Amino acid sequence: MFLNFEIVSPLRSKLQSGIAESQSPSGFNFERKQLLEIEGSQKNMAERSTKKKTSSITDWTQLPKELIQIIIEKFDNCFDVVHVRSVCSLWRSTFPLPSCLLSPSYSLPTYPIEKEGLCSLEKIPVVLFRVPTAVESVSEYFVEGIFRDESGDYMEFSSPLQCTLRVKLARSDSTLKNMLDCQIFSLGNQYRIIRWSPKGVRTIYKYVAFLPLNEGGGGGGFVVLRRYYRTLLMFRSVERRWFRVMDTPNYTCTGLVAFRGRFYTSFWNREVFVIDPYLLISTRLMPEEHLNGSKDLIASDNDELFLVERITLTHAGGSTLRVSRLDEEAGKWVETTDLGDRVLFVGYGANVSCSAKQLPDGCGVTGNSILFNDRSEDVTFFYKYGLSEGVAGGSDWRISRESSVKFLKSPTWAFRVEC
């Protein structure tokens, strides 16, 4: 293009000034003809270049897999991929569902007392999604488990295309949810064991925790801890057998959490234990001041492990609440009054946490809050620290009236928050 520009410009200037290197009409006509030919050639080259550029723009599905992986890594979170997959069926088949949203299954041997049958371990990714409502001061939230990629159930709708995932938690029936306009946040994973008897009867065990092992510097090994009546059983993939965990209370386990390479358990008698998966040693880990109330363990990613203790008093008196975080180095619980931007959800179906910074202002959910899934009341509230409610000098975890919460008619964590 630079070469053409250099040839045409002097000719154009000569013609405009009426001066030609040859004063004869034939010389002038020759240069004029030469200019027109060059400009025509330049126009054709530009058109061909434009067509070439247009034809070189291919669909993203034609990109090399390495480039597609780089694009995926640039997304803010795994649910951007879910939204990309909603563009069309071709994109859905090109962009794989993120591994953190898959529900792999592991084959396990049955415990000897169960005798015959098949046994498998299933991973269930748990998500929180916020559904937009017509009223700005009202938000609806759902905490549910994603079971598998529903490529087979995907259907093409008129624009906008539906972005669907099959979700299920607790004892609810699985259902397809449209995620296109939802804000979605990952809350980690839960696990369950499914046992099939020789007659085809299915039994589901919900109190299950999973840890990957790194023995000998290699990967792929794992260990599973499950509740079996009043005992705890541990399975190690290396030995391919179940072990009974000793030195634990003869009470039903009420909570199992895997955190930083160890298992943490709570029991019906309100005791808390930590279990080493390598040595099969269980150690009692209780707060210095014992509260004779319910104890719930909540892991916040792999950063913090919280212990929430609550004694429910009379309706007028409310609840006594204490929150502690694990000091792993010191091996003890340390009482805390500041959860930062975290929100803890405690109760039916799942004990989970999320970051309130990810949620928009005015959505009714703010940091340093705790919500109990207590369905005995029509309307409930978040607990926040330092709210005195008219009591002079009161510093405690108390009910906040900033937002009211109403649980929806759903077997899962489904609730409406109104500011």
Side-chain angles (χ1 to χ4, degrees):
M1 296 297 291
F2 287 109
L3 177 61
N4 289 338
F5 179 79
E6 290 173 357
I7 294 175
V8 172
S9 294
L11 290 172
R12 183 180 288 109
S13 60
K14 286 183 180 181
L15 289 172
Q16 289 175 347
S17 62
I19 301 174
E21 291 182 359
S22 173
Q23 298 299 322
S24 65
S26 59
F28 179 80
N29 290 334
F30 173 77
E31 289 188 347
R32 182 179 181 184
K33 182 179 179 181
Q34 185 181 15
L35 173 63
L36 293 175
E37 289 177 353
I38 293 174
E39 288 185 331
S41 176
Q42 183 179 7
K43 182 178 180 181
N44 291 336
M45 289 177 63
E47 289 177 352
R48 286 196 299 269
S49 176
T50 302
K51 291 180 180 179
K52 185 176 181 181
K53 289 180 179 179
T54 303
S55 61
S56 65
I57 300 176
T58 59
D59 190 271
W60 278 19
T61 58
Q62 303 301 315
L63 292 174
K65 292 183 179 180
E66 294 78 7
L67 283 179
I68 291 179
Q69 185 59 39
I70 292 175
I71 293 172
I72 293 175
E73 292 173 356
K74 296 298 181 182
F75 291 144
D76 290 334
N77 60 67
C78 61
F79 295 102
D80 286 339
V81 182
V82 175
H83 290 151
V84 166
R85 286 164 54 84
S86 71
V87 172
C88 63
S89 58
L90 187 60
W91 281 39
R92 189 178 180 91
S93 61
T94 300
F95 285 83
L97 199 69
S99 58
C100 61
L101 297 182
L102 297 177
S103 303
S105 158
Y106 305 87
S107 176
L108 303 177
T110 57
Y111 187 60
I113 199 173
E114 295 170 326
K115 298 181 180 179
E116 300 177 351
L118 300 175
C119 185
S120 63
L121 172 74
E122 289 190 356
K123 170 188 169 184
I124 306 171
V126 180
V127 298
L128 166 74
F129 57 95
R130 175 175 177 261
V131 180
T133 61
V135 183
E136 292 185 1
S137 60
V138 176
S139 299
E140 290 186 355
Y141 298 88
F142 297 84
V143 176
E144 302 201 47
I146 301 175
F147 270 73
R148 62 187 177 90
D149 181 16
E150 286 301 317
S151 300
D153 294 336
Y154 178 76
M155 296 184 296
E156 296 221 15
F157 295 87
S158 57
S159 182
L161 293 172
Q162 300 297 305
C163 175
T164 58
L165 289 173
R166 184 170 290 279
V167 294
K168 177 180 178 181
L169 195 67
R171 298 180 180 177
S172 64
D173 293 330
S174 59
T175 180
L176 282 173
K177 294 285 188 181
N178 180 13
M179 303 290 183
L180 192 59
D181 297 323
C182 298
Q183 290 179 291
I184 320 172
F185 308 99
S186 176
L187 299 181
N189 305 303
Q190 289 187 341
Y191 293 85
R192 67 178 188 174
I193 286 179
I194 298 179
R195 185 177 71 85
W196 295 88
S197 71
K199 296 182 179 180
V201 178
R202 187 179 72 163
T203 305
I204 298 177
Y205 300 93
K206 296 187 299 180
Y207 288 87
V208 180
F210 174 92
L211 271 176
L213 289 181
N214 232 350
E215 294 183 338
F222 63 90
V223 60
V224 177
L225 185 68
R226 63 174 282 196
R227 183 182 79 179
Y228 189 80
Y229 297 103
R230 290 191 173 186
T231 62
L232 291 177
L233 304 178
M234 184 178 293
F235 172 84
R236 289 163 57 96
S237 60
V238 177
E239 293 89 350
R240 291 293 299 175
R241 54 171 293 200
W242 290 97
F243 301 89
R244 181 172 177 176
V245 180
M246 308 303 292
D247 301 324
T248 56
N250 188 27
Y251 290 91
T252 302
C253 175
T254 58
L256 286 174
V257 174
F259 181 74
R260 291 185 179 178
R262 294 183 177 183
F263 293 110
Y264 294 83
T265 62
S266 58
F267 293 86
W268 186 257
N269 67 339
R270 302 181 176 90
E271 290 187 322
V272 179
F273 280 73
V274 55
I275 300 173
D276 189 312
Y278 296 93
L279 303 176
L280 290 178
I281 296 177
S282 56
T283 306
R284 192 170 182 265
L285 183 64
M286 295 292 292
E288 294 181 0
E289 182 184 351
H290 179 63
L291 284 183
N292 193 26
S294 65
K295 289 178 171 58
D296 290 278
L297 296 163
I298 305 100
S300 179
D301 295 324
N302 210 32
D303 300 325
E304 298 277 6
L305 179 63
F306 295 99
L307 175 65
V308 177
E309 302 172 90
R310 181 172 64 150
I311 300 177
T312 303
L313 306 175
T314 61
H315 180 73
S319 301
T320 297
L321 186 65
R322 182 174 66 188
V323 181
S324 304
R325 65 173 182 83
L326 177 66
D327 185 339
E328 193 175 13
E329 185 175 350
K332 64 179 182 179
W333 297 104
V334 179
E335 186 174 356
T336 182
T337 60
D338 186 10
L339 301 174
D341 72 303
R342 296 181 182 88
V343 182
L344 305 184
F345 300 97
V346 183
Y348 181 83
N351 289 344
V352 294
S353 71
C354 77
S355 170
K357 287 183 179 179
Q358 297 176 298
L359 301 172
D361 294 335
C363 67
V365 179
T366 57
N368 202 35
S369 303
I370 303 174
L371 179 63
F372 293 94
N373 192 347
D374 188 353
R375 296 173 182 265
S376 61
E377 302 289 340
D378 291 337
V379 178
T380 186
F381 302 90
F382 286 92
Y383 277 78
K384 296 182 74 70
Y385 190 82
L387 298 176
S388 61
E389 293 187 334
V391 179
S395 294
D396 199 356
W397 289 95
R398 297 177 181 270
I399 288 177
S400 168
R401 302 288 177 177
E402 293 178 359
S403 304
S404 62
V405 180
K406 182 176 182 179
F407 287 100
L408 306 178
K409 291 183 177 180
S410 169
T412 69
W413 265 93
F415 55 97
R416 175 189 293 262
V417 179
E418 184 171 355
C419 296

